[in-house]
Amino acid sequence: MRTALGRYVATGETPDAAARAAGLFAYPELHLRYDGATRHHPMRAFGRLTAAGHYAISVTQPGMFREYLAEQIDLLVADFGAAVEVSRGRQEIPYPYVLDAGHDVDLTGAAAAELARVFPSHELRHIGDEVADGLWRSVPGEPRPLALFDAQRVDFSIARLRHYTGTPTAHVQNYILFTNYHRYVDEFVRWACTQLTEDGPYRLLSCAGGLELNAGNADPDRAISDSAWRRHQMPAYHLVAPDHSGITLVNIGVGPSNAKTITDHLAVMRPEAWLMIGHCGGLRPSQRIGDYVLAHAYLRDDHVLDDVLPPEIPIPAIAEVQQALSAAAEQVSGEPAEQLKRRLRTGTVVTTDDRNWELRYTRSALRFNQSRAVAIDMESATLAAQGYRFRVPYGTLLCVSDKPIHGEIKLPGQANRFYERAISEHLRIGIAAIDELRRTGERLHSRKLRAFDEPPFR
């Protein structure tokens, strides 16, 4: 397609209609057939076939997803004797995705409407989350979905991830930390640069705006002072490992809309887990500024997902993630569990879409009291709900930065002292939790996240 675009722009030559009808611009399709004779019952929550039949999914960027695809296919072949083949697909690749993948075609003089007339373009009716949201219905003669996302949905998100984060999508790692404050980015960059050694597990720090650091030029001050990240709404920083087992940090800013937007797109990368490490308001009088809150439940007043995941649907805590965060807090703080309990509360976190919820104090206080909530923020429940929705293990460890209900707000001097003391430890807890999750392996992917009629791929 890229070659055909170049010819069309340069000479006006249009693609051969017969070749296009035969699939010249089509995504490849991955097909799996299972006869039902082999009945193995692995303990893992994914890589399972519960019904005989034909499964298929269109695939994009196979180089980027190589390890993921190979793992999923190998499990189904080894445990169920599934037969796998690849064929030319039925979905055509929209031409903007070909350009986003890297190109040297000059489209300066070409109008988008003109290109869309000659080449396949976006058709939003073909892009959606029906499989993930349980809306997919079987059609006689059609294969069942092999994965949650098809190629067009994946390409749609790949294009937007680069736009929002300012980094190559191929650098997104399997473990993701979200934060709502840029000082966590500075601390992450400093720590990441210490990990970039010639014989270390990481090979690159990819920064929003295009800056890349390695063992030979790992200068944190250079990355922190670089202002290119300001062009991007949710800047990301990737500590890249060759097998994608590194860490991605995304500063999502404030609000549930941003939290939903970025996870809609990161979900297609099929990360192993995502964790929220940010600031919150403490709701209990016994809490102190700098205390931690480990979310065990969420009160969803964010409303951004109400249409696709109603708020009455419970979002369960993932035991493996809770244990990893608890163990990491004990390890990093150096405090025994009983002593750590004095400044780490486990309980319900309220996520609101109203930044000025304090102005409705009477109503808010009653709801917080009824829910027994211990903290309030604007992102955590959204991120957890999106993890539940897209089968990505999730967790939340927040740091109390103020207590509005109890008259304790951050004054400028107090704020700086709080940040200097709390952010480094908080970030290191998040990183240590990821180390714990790596050791957890496939047990991390709880069956709590799987629906009745689930695609085989994780």
Side-chain angles (χ1 to χ4, degrees), residues 71-138:
E71 178 192 38
Q72 305 308 304
I73 292 169
D74 286 350
L75 291 173
L76 296 172
V77 171
D79 290 342
F80 297 92
V84 179
E85 64 183 40
V86 176
S87 67
R88 197 180 293 273
R90 296 161 291 176
Q91 283 186 348
E92 286 194 308
I93 306 170
Y95 80 85
Y97 300 150
V98 172
L99 303 180
D100 285 342
H103 70 288
D104 55 4
V105 181
D106 183 5
L107 299 183
T108 304
E114 180 187 353
L115 291 172
R117 180 179 58 81
V118 179
F119 294 91
S121 188
H122 294 279
E123 289 192 49
L124 292 179
R125 64 193 177 92
H126 293 155
I127 303 174
D129 289 324
E130 286 79 8
V131 176
D133 291 332
L135 302 175
W136 177 84
R137 295 292 178 266
S138 176

Side-chain angles (χ1 to χ4, degrees), residues 178 252 255-264 274 276 298-305 309 315 349-353 377-390 394 396:
F178 295 111
I252 60 176
S257 180
N258 275 6
K260 178 183 184 297
T261 296
I262 199 65
T263 44
D264 277 340
W274 59 47
M276 177 64 184
Y298 300 91
L299 181 60
R300 293 174 53 204
D301 281 351
D302 54 327
H303 302 300
V304 72
L305 286 166
L309 192 67
I315 307 299
V349 170
V350 180
T351 293
T352 179
D353 60 355
D377 79 346
M378 298 188 69
E379 301 86 27
S380 292
T382 312
L383 296 169
Q386 285 281 80
Y388 178 83
R389 182 181 172 215
F390 293 130
Y394 50 85
T396 298

Side-chain angles (χ1 to χ4, degrees), residues 230-246:
R230 297 180 187 276
R231 298 194 300 267
H232 304 284
Q233 185 175 343
M234 288 175 274
Y237 296 77
H238 313 285
L239 186 57
V240 178
D243 60 355
H244 286 85
S245 65

Side-chain angles (χ1 to χ4, degrees), residues 187 191 277 328 332-333 423-433:
E187 194 65 31
W191 174 82
I277 53 165
V332 172
S333 69
I423 288 176
S424 177
E425 182 182 78
H426 193 190
L427 177 69
R428 285 185 289 117
I429 291 172
I431 293 167

